[in-house]
Amino acid sequence: MFLGIAFLGIGLWAWNEKGVLSNISSITDLGGFDPVWLFLVVGGVMFILGFAGCIGALRENTFLLKFFSVFLGIIFFLELTAGVLAFVFKDWIKDQLYFFINNNIRAYRDDIDLQNLIDFTQEYWQCCGAFGADDWNLNIYFNCTDSNASRERCGVPFSCCTKDPAEDVINTQCGYDARQKPEVDQQIVIYTKGCVPQFEKWLQDNLTIVAGVFIGIALLQIFGICLAQNLVSDIEAVRASW
């Protein structure tokens, strides 16, 4: 419950820093995904579950305990459904991921949190764009059109650049004019593989760990539902004996 409050606090603080709370209509202005939503949604769910489970157990409130069980059961069912659909409709998921990444590439400079998320993703998976560096043509600052007067024209963000272990300071201009070079030369200075295929490769390489994490989360959820239902049964049994 307190962790949920902390997540909500971080999310609201981030929105306050960006001026969203003083102008609520700006929530819909961002063309891409705002990472703050992750903190707000996850924090809200954690707080609701924590409050219902904790207060329900302390006060022996069967309504809150049943709500906790049902809510946790719905989350488990949604996770299970999402997993099955992701396995059955792999190509559709890949298309949606491609659309999602490209949509956020367009909004790269619109939000600092989104920018940091994209940079982290490209650096971690050593990728550039959804399926390649040329996806950055979708961004008004990085496209190669003659009408683009930006210094970043035909370039990529610094997070696409290959890292030199000898460099202690990040060169934020390393991606300038990178896509004007021949493809062979591009591979020396930037990552040319897209983030979608790199994510697929990472998933295959870490399938056992990912599956173990999801199974562990599922078991914890089932365990929580069983404990809550067991406590409800005990409370009702005691009340019935009065």
Side-chain angles (χ1 to χ4, degrees), residues 22-161:
S22 59
N23 183 19
I24 299 298
S25 62
S26 63
I27 293 176
T28 58
D29 292 343
L30 180 62
F33 171 71
D34 189 348
V36 175
W37 280 110
L38 282 176
F39 286 93
L40 295 176
V41 173
V42 172
V45 170
M46 290 176 68
F47 173 75
I48 292 171
L49 280 174
F51 179 84
C54 182
I55 304 301
L58 289 174
R59 303 298 299 173
E60 296 185 349
N61 188 309
T62 55
F63 173 78
L64 286 177
L65 289 172
K66 289 177 180 178
F67 173 81
F68 173 84
S69 296
V70 171
F71 195 21
L72 200 56
I74 291 172
I75 293 174
F76 174 75
F77 176 75
L78 290 174
E79 290 171 349
L80 186 63
T81 304
V84 172
L85 291 176
F87 179 77
V88 174
F89 301 104
K90 287 185 288 187
D91 292 336
W92 182 83
I93 294 294
K94 187 186 295 186
D95 291 340
Q96 293 304 307
L97 187 59
Y98 174 71
F99 174 79
F100 175 77
I101 293 175
N102 282 342
N103 194 44
N104 287 298
I105 283 175
R106 293 186 182 93
Y108 177 74
R109 292 294 191 202
D110 297 347
D111 183 82
I112 187 63
D113 293 326
L114 175 61
Q115 184 174 315
N116 290 334
L117 179 62
I118 292 175
D119 287 335
F120 171 78
T121 301
Q122 293 189 143
E123 287 180 330
Y124 183 78
W125 279 317
Q126 297 184 351
C127 58
C128 192
F131 280 100
D134 285 337
D135 288 331
W136 281 97
N137 274 326
L138 296 169
N139 188 278
I140 60 174
Y141 300 102
F142 294 98
N143 69 61
C144 292
T145 56
D146 294 333
S147 59
N148 183 11
S150 170
R151 179 61 188 87
E152 295 175 310
R153 177 182 176 273
C154 237
V156 292
F158 73 92
S159 53
C160 284
C161 296

